[in-house]
Amino acid sequence: MPTATPFPDAPVLSPWLRAAAAILPVAATAYIGSASTQESIPTWYAGLNKPSFNPPNWVFPVAWTILYSMIAIYAWRFLGVIARMGSSRRGWWLALAAFYVQLALNAAWSPVFFAAQAVGAALVVVVVLLVMVLWTIRLSWRYDRLAAWLLVPYAAWVSFATLLNAAILRLN
C-alpha cells in the first residue's frame, strides 16, 4: 500500500481530494465575498462617489464567477502537476502557499471594503492581493505555464479593482 509522501516531497492526492482542495477554498472565498457585499450594495456602496470608469453592479458577479472558475481550474491543474512530479523539483510548496495566501487576501477584501466600510484598509488589502497574485503566477510558471496563464485575467481584474478602490477612496 503506497503511503503519502512526506514534506517537502509532493503530496499524493486522490482525484477527489485534489478536486476538493481546488474547489472548496475557492467556493468559500466566493461565498465570503458575496455574503459580505449583499447588504452594502444597495445602501452604503450606492451612496459612494464613484469614478466614471466604475462598471455597472451586474458586471462584478459575472466577472467573479468566470474568474473564480479559472482560479479553481488553476488550483486543480497545479495540484495535479505537483502530485505527478514527486520530489523531482523542489520549491512547488512556495507557489502553493502563495496561492492560498492570495486566496485568503481575496476573501478578506470584501468584508474589509463592504462590511467594515474601511475603504483605505481595503486598498492595502487589494494591493497586497495583487502582489501575491503576481507572485503566484511567477512561482507557478516553472511548473505549469497553462495554470499560470489561468491567473493572468485574475491579475488584470485585481489591478482594475486596485485602481477602482483607490479612486473610490480619493472621491470619498
Side-chain angles (χ1 to χ4, degrees), residues 25-44:
V26 175
T29 299
Y31 175 78
I32 290 167
S34 179
S36 299
T37 61
Q38 293 302 319
E39 291 181 21
S40 295
I41 295 287
T43 57
W44 173 76

Side-chain angles (χ1 to χ4, degrees), residues 16-72:
W16 290 106
L17 187 56
R18 183 170 61 123
I23 295 168
L24 293 177
V26 175
T29 299
Y31 175 78
I32 290 167
S34 179
S36 299
T37 61
Q38 293 302 319
E39 291 181 21
S40 295
I41 295 287
T43 57
W44 173 76
Y45 185 72
L48 290 176
N49 295 317
K50 296 176 208 66
S52 60
F53 58 87
N54 190 77
N57 290 343
W58 66 265
V59 170
F60 293 97
V62 172
W64 278 113
T65 299
I66 294 165
L67 293 170
Y68 282 136
S69 297
M70 294 174 76
I71 293 165

